[in-house]
Amino acid sequence: VSVDDEQNRDMGRVHGHARREDVTMLDELPERFRTEFPVTRDRAYLFGGGLAPASRRVSGTIAAWMHTWAFDPLEAWDGLATETDAVRERLGRLLGTSPSTIAIVDGASRASNIAVGLLDARPGSNVVVDATTYPSSLYPWMVPGRDGVEVRRAANGPTGLAAGIGDLERLVDDGTVAVCVTHVHPHTGFRHDLRPIADLAHAHGAVIVADISQSAGVIPIDLAADGIDLAMGTAMKWLMGPPGIGFLCESADLLARTCAPQVGYLGAELDPADRTRLRLRPDARRHELGLPSLLGMPGWRTGLDIVLEAGVPAIHRHVEALVERCLDGLDDLGLVVTTPRERSSRAGLVSIPATSPLELRAFLRERGVDLWGFPRGSLIRADAGMFNDAHDIDRLLDGLAAYIAERGHGAIQET
Ligand SMILES: Cc1ncc(COP(=O)(O)O)c(C=O)c1O
């Protein structure tokens, strides 16, 4: 039992759903962060792990950029380098890494493809994944042309949700190029402990590739301390930016040993001394190709400022308390939850098995509650973000109670 889990139980007692009158105690963040987000006025928006809502400040920055684009496009174009550097600098602070290890790309999926492409995966080598490795970092290993690389899928050990370190250990050997995991899995809400996985990979000369799309911005991340070689993520979730933009982090050590699988005029140039040769930037910018989303960049910079201002530790405490309240309330309703109860094994996502996710989602939406309904996974998912409060969670629980009262418990979960 970790210290995290001890605190978990204490907070559960204080903030448990049974004591709903304590709502203000859940609000670790000043109210101004909630009022930054217009959606909170009318709706319990619990889909921040899909698409974070636009804040006033992000909308304002984007609107200002649109104005500049209309009246002074050259000025808008001139802002590219400054804005991209500003995003890189803020991400570096948030993720515990140097800005020189960060490339800004068009999303986590692109970053994963670049990460897989830059690894020297020869026929006969292998990559180790588990059931929670997201498609964006699994599929790139499976394209024709990489047929010779064996994809080893680790069993779901002790949790039944994801591989434990022992399950990974059984598969990693000296032919392993990478252990490829998703820090927090969008379907289960399960969170891996990254450091032991990094140690395991490194002990065999392999790298760890970690998708941090569902953790960056909501739980403290220190890529350098955790020994992460390659990490990728997306702006539009817990980093409060717009869609269509993301990042790849490649450690300095790896940058010194690798090339770039995709190149463009931003990250490479012809060697002036020998124009038949290509020179790559020495830092992670070598992975940046052409003109990125000029519209998205200042928007994301502003979103990152909000996250930094609130502070990830405070966001984490806030989200933890909301998730705790949600789990207690779901317990009271007799609903089974997939997301682990241990604090150290989850972040901001609560995944609930549901037989008719879209129907349930529509029912809740009518009552002002927005969440993810995923028929293929037979689940609904409620995400607690920095802009949510205890009332949002209670609206969800009340909505679920109304659904059960109207249609019976079995309409959500068969017993
Ligand atoms: C873990 C994870 N990785 C990747 C993605 C996709 O990100 P993008 O659309 O930026 O490629 C998502 C969500 O959509 C996700 O939850």
Side-chain angles (χ1 to χ4, degrees):
V1 176
S2 68
V3 174
D4 236 359
D5 297 331
E6 294 273 5
Q7 282 170 358
N8 184 14
R9 278 201 295 273
D10 288 347
M11 293 200 51
R13 276 194 290 275
V14 177
H15 299 310
H17 184 240
R19 295 188 51 190
R20 281 201 197 186
E21 71 277 13
D22 286 345
V23 284
T24 52
M25 291 181 66
L26 292 179
D27 301 327
E28 295 269 354
L29 292 173
E31 181 67 12
R32 71 188 163 88
F33 287 110
R34 181 169 166 82
T35 50
E36 264 288 358
F37 295 86
V39 72
T40 60
R41 228 179 19 199
D42 307 317
R43 310 195 65 79
Y45 186 73
L46 300 170
F47 188 46
L51 177 65
S55 60
R56 280 177 217 290
R57 262 192 274 176
V58 168
S59 306
T61 309
I62 290 176
W65 189 86
M66 294 294 290
H67 189 269
T68 310
W69 183 29
F71 292 96
D72 190 358
L74 188 62
E75 166 75 15
W77 189 85
D78 276 347
L80 166 66
T82 334
E83 288 292 358
T84 315
D85 285 346
V87 164
R88 232 185 257 110
E89 185 273 328
R90 284 156 177 76
L91 273 178
R93 272 195 279 154
L94 277 169
L95 304 179
T97 187
S98 158
S100 65
T101 66
I102 300 171
I104 305 301
V105 297
D106 52 328
S109 302
R110 172 78 60 203
S112 296
N113 274 273
I114 297 172
V116 172
L118 64 82
L119 293 170
D120 186 20
R122 308 225 169 111
S125 59
N126 67 77
V127 54
V128 175
V129 302
D130 80 344
T132 65
T133 303
Y134 199 66
S136 52
S137 40
L138 170 64
Y139 295 173
W141 292 103
M142 300 173 69
V143 286
R146 278 207 188 87
D147 306 333
V149 181
E150 183 194 353
V151 177
R152 297 183 175 174
R153 294 158 200 267
N156 293 347
T159 61
L161 295 179
I165 193 71
D167 306 298
L168 296 168
E169 250 160 20
R170 276 187 278 284
L171 297 184
V172 176
D173 60 24
D174 291 346
T176 305
V177 179
V179 181
C180 212
V181 293
T182 295
H183 195 189
V184 175
H185 185 228
H187 300 173
T188 63
F190 175 85
R191 174 179 14 149
H192 271 297
D193 185 6
L194 294 179
R195 182 73 238 189
I197 302 174
D199 290 342
L200 171 65
H202 295 159
H204 290 272
V207 302
I208 174 170
V209 181
D211 182 331
I212 56 173
S213 299
Q214 294 290 359
S215 55
V218 64
I219 55 176
I221 302 242
D222 192 330
L223 293 178
D226 273 347
I228 307 303
D229 303 288
L230 287 158
M232 60 282 306
T234 190
M236 65 182 166
K237 303 181 188 294
W238 310 90
L239 294 171
M240 300 301 149
I245 186 165
F247 64 87
L248 171 68
C249 297
E250 182 179 2
S251 69
D253 181 44
L254 207 55
L255 278 165
R257 296 189 271 134
T258 57
C259 189
Q262 300 174 12
V263 284
Y265 60 83
L266 285 184
E269 61 177 8
L270 295 181
D271 187 338
D274 175 0
R275 296 183 67 77
T276 63
R277 291 169 59 88
L278 197 63
R279 263 199 342 203
L280 297 179
R281 283 188 190 268
D283 58 29
R285 285 179 299 173
R286 66 175 66 158
H287 301 303
E288 295 176 4
L289 307 184
L291 200 67
S293 169
L294 291 182
L295 176 68
M297 211 65 76
W300 194 13
R301 190 239 313 139
T302 310
L304 291 169
D305 279 340
I306 295 174
V307 175
L308 283 162
E309 234 175 88
V312 174
I315 293 174
H316 185 207
R317 286 194 301 275
H318 180 82
V319 165
E320 281 290 4
L322 295 178
V323 167
E324 198 63 35
R325 185 181 191 85
C326 188
L327 293 174
D328 287 345
L330 292 166
D331 248 12
D332 292 349
L333 291 172
L335 291 171
V336 173
V337 176
T338 309
T339 305
R341 190 79 211 198
E342 299 76 38
R343 250 181 196 218
S344 52
S345 299
R346 58 175 152 83
L349 310 177
V350 177
S351 174
I352 308 153
T355 39
S356 311
L358 292 183
E359 235 178 272
L360 182 51
R361 173 183 181 259
F363 181 91
L364 294 169
R365 192 160 162 74
E366 289 249 307
R367 284 153 185 79
V369 179
D370 296 328
L371 46 58
W372 192 37
F374 182 42
R376 205 148 35 95
S378 298
L379 61 90
I380 55 164
R381 195 189 71 200
D383 314 334
M386 63 177 293
F387 46 84
N388 291 118
D389 69 3
H391 294 289
D392 293 339
I393 302 298
D394 291 349
R395 279 176 84 180
L396 166 66
L397 297 172
D398 291 344
L400 290 170
Y403 193 82
I404 291 169
E406 211 172 277
R407 303 181 193 194
H409 190 277
I412 302 183
Q413 292 174 348
E414 280 152 24
T415 40

